[in-house]
Amino acid sequence: MPTTAPAAPPRPRRRGRLTLLTGALTLALAVPALAAPPAAADVTDYTLDVDPARQGPAIDPTMYGVFFEDINRAADGGLYAELVQNRSFEYDRADNASYTPLTSWDTTGSAKVVNDDGRLNARNRNYLSLGGGSSVTNAGYGTGIAVRKGERYDFSLWARTERATALTITLQDADGELTRARKVTARGGWTKYTASFTATRTSATGRLTVASGAPVALDMISLFPRDTYKGRANGLRKDLAEKIAALRPGFVRFPGGCLVNTGSHQGYDESSGYQRKRSYQWKDTIGPVEQRATNANFWGYNQSYGLGYYEYFQFAEDLGAMPLPVVPALVTGCGENKVTDDPALLKRHVQDTLDLIEFANGPVTSEWGRKRAAMGHPKPFHLTHLEVGNEENLPDAFFARFKEFRAAIEAKYPDITVISNSGPDDSGTTFDRAWQLNRDAKVGMVDEHYYNSPQWFLENNARYDSYDRKGPKVFLGEYASQDNRFRNALSEAAFMTGLERNADVVKLASYAPLLARTDSVQWRPDMIWFDGQRSWGSANYEVQKLFMNNAGDRVVPSTASGTPATTAPITGAVGLSTWATSAAYDDVTVTGADGKTLLSDDFSGGDGEWTRAAGRGTWQVEDGAYVQSDTAAENTLVTAGDPGWQNYDLHVKATKKAGKEGFLVAFGVQDTGNHYWWNLGGWGNTRSAVEKTVGGAKQTLAGTEDGTKIETGRSYDLKVQVRGRQVTLYLDGKKWGGFTDDAKAEPFRQVVTEDEKTGELIVKVVNAQDAAARTRIDLGTEVASTARLTTLQGDPDAVNTADAQPVAPRQSALRGIGRQFTHTFPAHSVTFLRIKKAG
């Protein structure tokens, strides 16, 4: 029967990344195509001085890459070109509560899915028993099986029958046939049968039917386009692979992500009861596809492992990229946060990792090199980097196991770089502890992940300026601003100039996630979007492509003037909120620095002072307190007071009644998308911090996080003191912490690199403001009079869609330049100038 996209499982809130999902896709895709704005009336003057006599850090050819995780249907239904969904009838409630073994199938006559000793093999547990005169029809993914007129498609299935049985295969949509029917005759035991089709029409709503005249057992019903990327069997969807190839990535990190470090670490075998919720284990994913394991995908659907480790290695090779696999460390993350204490299992996983290196690099005379050769690749894949673990929130437990992996790998393969990580956030107690452990153990490279607001990226261009040049190198394995609008891409571009400037510390970097199917979204933003027939790059993709195609070989030191800054005090009303929690608030007072009472509410007169700004939750006055009672509602913000308030003290009493978290006390509130809040007992009541929201995107303020947790039924006294841009917070009369929010969100950023092959200086300028930037440029050397100019410019709210790409590069020649010249960089733009040095 046809199925809709499965609902994602409950998962922990991570800074903005998960909070933006609801409704965001619809909003983003509904934004109309916007033309580039006219030149801004305002112009700000800058200088940019280049010093070619000095030598900056080298930029490795692997500096920028891609991170592939099977999220948003990135693999099955996405990059993996298989058109049949649930081809082996292995879907299960363990994958998604709505699933059955016949999800995505309709049947007529007699048909049932069987799990018995008559199966195709031990790992392919289910098969379909189809009665005589019966049929089974697959609906594919999304709207259906997508085919294009004139293109070839390869069909296959496995069948078992007691006597010769005719099988009729048809492909059609509501308007009729999409190709001529094909017939195959099945005989005897399990055998693979094939046929091919040429589509006579283009359709996105196709249905594939197999009908039988006699009883038959069926499995692995498959339909592939002949024209896969590089023409590979069991291959990849061509348009998606080509968009990734156009980035010219230096590496491919795979297969995750949360897939790597969640679930059981047992095998898919009889001893484990064929567990479905397992960490991604590479040996499950190689060999003939009909013999590979299946698994429950962490993001709420099934993963077939048709796209497995061999295909990942092959894809990296086809891209000319370095493969960078990630293996589980037996400490789960992504909200699970459990430690597997099983020395024998740890030993097995360490050996599996050694076997993986042999599979990638070993000679054909070795056990695992021979298996690679048997799959069609006698030559090694030249694996040089391998990562252990992903975003573990238990740094000490993780690192104890990481050291076991590292010791074994370095003993046998000393040339392999073994990468560690620093948890899921850009700062905080987990981050600090993980980095301490990595530094003390002299780890070669540490993977950092963060998903933050555009404001954060504009404020943190200098993040890596102060990193220890002699310490571990940084792999920025996952990062993104919190939307796919051009303003988000601009902030990422500004940040990337800092990555390049610090290329001696930041050795690898990859935006994440890579792919998203529009009808199956668990996470946004994403770099490349697609449906059954079309694909398109987001504004973020265009920025990544521009940087990845123009990295250069070395940084040329340069300096630029900054944007004049104005410092104003934190200003705004106050607010109360909850997140999957019921809480009671009482005795709210706001007092000015002069002692004047601005607000006093004990709720004896109702809640007339308060505005239900978020429109969520169930707020009412109960027993003299203001209570939010819906434990499922998230971000239930209510506000009171004047957006013009500044220099005040906010007092409130708070009691948690039920639910997963604690309290959210807001201040500096301008509206629902612009405010601060003190998040006590956040992240599943695991820690507390202050979060700042600008333009609807949140960031955690550095230095404000601790391990405070909130007890149910206990009354807490909370005080927030705001003075200028300094905030001090008190919990039950004691100072809890504080911060000064004076980081500058510089909108004008630049970096200069050199392409040693072409002899060109590459001047890269990001102007993420409303005003044009008139800039006097001194290159410090004589140059040709004409430069190659590439510009990304657009409305900051512009979003690329299937039907319109308002954010796209414009290329032209810029004439009349010299050692010194003036150029005006448009408002809201990324500009690359490739300038040939004279001589």
Side-chain angles (χ1 to χ4, degrees):
M1 58 185 175
T3 183
T4 58
R11 53 199 186 275
R13 178 158 45 102
R14 282 181 41 186
R15 183 172 311 144
R17 180 176 180 178
L18 301 176
T19 64
L20 288 174
L21 177 59
T22 305
L25 175 64
T26 302
L27 175 63
L29 296 183
V31 173
L34 294 166
D42 295 330
V43 177
T44 302
D45 288 315
Y46 295 89
T47 61
L48 195 168
D49 295 300
V50 183
D51 188 357
R54 293 170 53 218
Q55 194 171 72
I59 299 175
D60 295 343
T62 52
M63 170 75 175
Y64 293 120
V66 295
F67 163 51
F68 181 91
E69 179 178 3
D70 188 0
I71 184 174
N72 309 316
R73 284 284 184 193
D76 295 332
L79 185 62
Y80 186 48
E82 173 66 77
L83 296 171
V84 175
Q85 184 176 180
N86 190 19
R87 65 184 177 185
S88 58
F89 308 100
E90 297 293 334
Y91 277 27
D92 189 90
R93 286 180 59 84
D95 310 328
N96 186 287
S98 68
Y99 280 4
T100 75
L102 282 173
T103 291
S104 200
W105 294 97
D106 279 327
T107 62
T108 63
S110 172
K112 64 178 180 178
V113 174
V114 181
N115 179 349
D116 64 15
D117 291 342
R119 63 179 66 88
L120 179 59
N121 59 65
R123 288 191 153 200
N124 202 322
R125 307 295 293 169
N126 294 344
Y127 64 93
L128 181 70
S129 176
L130 193 66
S134 302
S135 68
V136 60
T137 298
N138 191 263
Y141 295 92
T143 60
I145 293 173
V147 296
R148 293 185 184 277
K149 181 179 179 179
E151 293 193 3
R152 299 278 289 177
Y153 296 86
D154 293 322
F155 169 85
S156 65
L157 59 70
W158 286 75
R160 174 175 55 78
T161 183
E162 294 182 359
R163 60 186 176 86
T165 300
L167 302 176
T168 302
I169 302 100
T170 58
L171 185 63
Q172 58 187 12
D173 62 11
D175 294 327
E177 290 186 348
L178 293 169
T179 184
R180 290 172 50 202
R182 293 288 184 270
K183 291 183 180 293
V184 298
T185 301
R187 295 181 175 88
W190 283 111
T191 304
K192 184 177 181 179
Y193 300 93
T194 63
S196 64
F197 300 96
T198 298
T200 56
R201 290 188 291 111
T202 294
S203 176
T205 58
R207 299 290 187 268
L208 177 72
T209 298
V210 179
S212 178
V216 64
L218 301 176
D219 208 344
M220 295 297 292
I221 300 175
S222 172
L223 186 67
F224 262 85
R226 177 77 57 86
D227 190 19
T228 59
Y229 184 63
K230 300 288 186 181
R232 306 231 177 254
N234 194 52
L236 307 180
R237 179 171 152 175
K238 189 175 181 180
D239 64 321
L240 293 178
E242 287 179 341
K243 281 186 171 56
I244 298 169
L247 296 167
R248 301 180 193 169
F251 66 87
V252 180
R253 177 179 181 250
F254 61 89
C258 289
L259 306 185
V260 168
N261 67 335
T262 53
S264 163
H265 302 294
Q266 300 291 333
Y268 189 61
D269 50 35
E270 187 175 2
S271 65
S272 71
Y274 293 97
Q275 290 189 39
R276 296 294 291 261
K277 295 185 176 182
R278 308 182 319 284
S279 58
Y280 196 110
Q281 300 173 45
W282 79 272
K283 289 181 179 178
D284 286 344
T285 76
I286 64 168
V289 291
E290 69 274 8
Q291 296 177 18
R292 298 182 187 182
T294 188
N295 204 8
N297 183 294
F298 175 80
W299 298 107
Y301 50 91
N302 176 271
Q303 55 190 141
S304 71
Y305 289 146
L307 175 54
Y309 256 75
Y310 178 83
E311 290 76 22
Y312 284 126
F313 278 125
Q314 184 71 75
F315 185 41
E317 183 177 80
D318 286 341
L319 294 171
M322 178 181 77
L324 204 165
V326 187
V327 298
L330 276 70
V331 178
T332 58
C334 301
E336 294 185 358
N337 302 335
K338 296 178 182 178
V339 177
T340 299
D341 190 9
D342 185 336
L345 187 60
L346 175 61
K347 183 177 180 180
R348 191 266 282 179
H349 275 269
V350 171
Q351 184 59 51
D352 281 354
T353 302
L354 297 176
D355 293 343
L356 170 60
I357 299 171
E358 183 176 288
F359 177 77
N361 294 349
V364 296
T365 54
S366 66
E367 177 185 358
W368 292 98
R370 185 163 52 250
K371 292 180 185 294
R372 180 194 69 238
M375 294 185 71
H377 202 284
K379 294 182 179 180
F381 283 117
H382 305 295
L383 176 66
T384 60
H385 291 63
L386 183 145
E387 184 172 357
V388 177
N390 172 76
E391 295 189 5
E392 283 74 21
N393 273 310
L394 304 171
D396 288 275
F398 160 73
F399 205 76
R401 287 151 182 80
F402 172 83
K403 289 190 295 184
E404 299 277 345
F405 283 87
R406 185 174 71 154
I409 294 168
E410 291 182 345
K412 190 170 183 178
Y413 301 105
D415 293 334
I416 297 291
T417 298
V418 186
I419 303 172
S420 180
N421 76 81
S422 59
D425 295 301
D426 62 270
S427 61
T429 53
T430 295
F431 179 88
D432 293 340
R433 177 59 177 162
W435 260 104
Q436 178 188 332
L437 292 167
N438 285 306
R439 280 192 298 267
D440 291 348
K442 295 181 169 54
V443 170
M445 186 174 289
V446 177
D447 188 3
E448 293 189 354
H449 294 179
Y450 36 82
Y451 296 85
N452 282 321
S453 68
Q455 182 86 358
W456 186 94
F457 282 98
L458 293 175
E459 290 175 353
N460 282 272
N461 178 272
R463 175 181 177 87
Y464 296 107
D465 290 4
S466 59
Y467 271 49
D468 183 0
R469 265 50 198 169
K470 296 181 180 179
K473 302 304 180 186
V474 172
F475 171 24
L476 181 49
E478 299 184 34
Y479 73 99
S481 175
Q482 293 168 348
D483 209 336
N484 280 141
R485 301 175 187 275
F486 188 43
R487 73 171 71 253
N488 302 89
L490 282 169
S491 71
E492 291 156 6
F495 188 71
M496 292 171 78
T497 66
L499 299 184
E500 292 191 4
R501 189 176 64 251
N502 290 284
D504 56 331
V505 170
V506 183
K507 306 304 289 184
L508 307 169
S510 49
Y511 179 100
L514 179 62
L515 295 171
R517 185 178 176 108
T518 56
D519 54 20
S520 183
V521 181
Q522 292 82 46
W523 195 310
R524 60 171 294 114
D526 303 283
M527 195 193 297
I528 299 170
W529 290 83
F530 64 96
D531 56 25
Q533 290 185 311
R534 303 173 296 176
S535 60
W536 57 96
S538 64
N540 317 68
Y541 172 86
E542 296 297 345
V543 160
Q544 293 293 322
K545 184 178 177 182
L546 190 57
F547 274 85
M548 292 168 78
N549 284 209
N550 296 278
D553 302 294
R554 184 172 293 279
V555 174
V556 181
S558 60
T559 58
S561 57
T563 305
T566 57
T567 302
I570 292 174
T571 303
V574 299
L576 308 170
S577 189
T578 58
W579 200 290
T581 300
S582 173
Y585 296 100
D586 202 359
D587 296 335
V588 180
T589 61
V590 180
T591 305
D594 59 0
K596 181 180 178 181
T597 298
L598 304 175
L599 172 70
S600 179
D601 197 348
D602 62 4
F603 300 102
S604 59
D607 63 353
E609 298 280 355
W610 297 84
T611 299
R612 301 187 185 192
R616 290 183 291 273
T618 303
W619 289 93
Q620 58 187 2
V621 176
E622 296 179 4
D623 300 323
Y626 201 24
V627 177
Q628 198 293 113
S629 57
D630 185 347
T631 56
E634 299 178 345
N635 189 5
T636 63
L637 183 67
V638 295
T639 62
D642 188 338
W645 281 350
Q646 55 185 262
N647 297 322
Y648 57 77
D649 295 345
L650 164 64
H651 287 87
V652 60
K653 291 182 179 178
T655 305
K656 175 180 176 178
K657 298 173 72 68
K660 298 178 179 179
E661 303 205 349
F663 314 121
L664 294 166
V665 177
F667 53 97
V669 179
Q670 294 298 316
D671 51 49
T672 56
N674 296 276
H675 58 74
Y676 301 80
W677 66 29
W678 187 8
N679 188 346
L680 283 163
W683 296 272
N685 203 17
T686 60
R687 61 190 191 273
S688 299
V690 176
E691 294 180 289
K692 173 182 175 180
T693 299
V694 179
K698 292 202 303 292
Q699 66 189 77
T700 297
L701 294 179
T704 66
E705 181 183 334
D706 79 351
T708 301
K709 301 176 184 178
I710 298 300
E711 300 174 18
T712 302
R714 175 184 164 187
S715 177
Y716 293 83
D717 185 73
L718 314 178
K719 176 184 174 182
V720 180
Q721 182 183 76
V722 181
R723 296 292 184 273
R725 299 204 65 80
Q726 183 175 334
V727 177
T728 309
L729 304 122
Y730 298 86
L731 180 62
D732 290 332
K734 297 181 180 179
K735 183 178 177 180
W736 178 86
F739 64 92
T740 301
D741 186 19
D742 57 1
K744 183 179 179 182
E746 173 59 61
F748 184 81
R749 295 292 188 184
Q750 57 78 33
V751 69
V752 180
T753 65
E754 181 177 3
D755 186 329
E756 294 174 350
K757 297 180 182 66
T758 64
E760 291 174 306
L761 294 175
I762 312 173
V763 179
K764 311 172 188 184
V765 175
V766 180
N767 184 25
Q769 62 183 328
D770 295 334
R774 182 170 52 212
T775 308
R776 181 189 61 78
I777 300 172
D778 187 342
L779 296 174
T781 187
E782 298 302 323
V783 296
S785 61
T786 301
R788 289 188 289 161
L789 175 70
T790 304
T791 304
L792 290 171
Q793 182 189 7
D795 188 288
D797 284 323
V799 175
N800 286 354
T801 70
D803 300 312
Q805 288 82 48
V807 180
R810 296 198 300 272
Q811 297 179 334
S812 61
L814 182 64
R815 295 178 174 84
I817 65 172
R819 176 175 179 146
Q820 295 180 342
F821 66 101
T822 297
H823 183 73
T824 299
F825 297 95
H828 308 300
S829 68
V830 182
T831 303
F832 278 35
L833 281 164
R834 294 188 71 110
I835 307 170
K836 186 95 169 173
K837 293 194 294 184

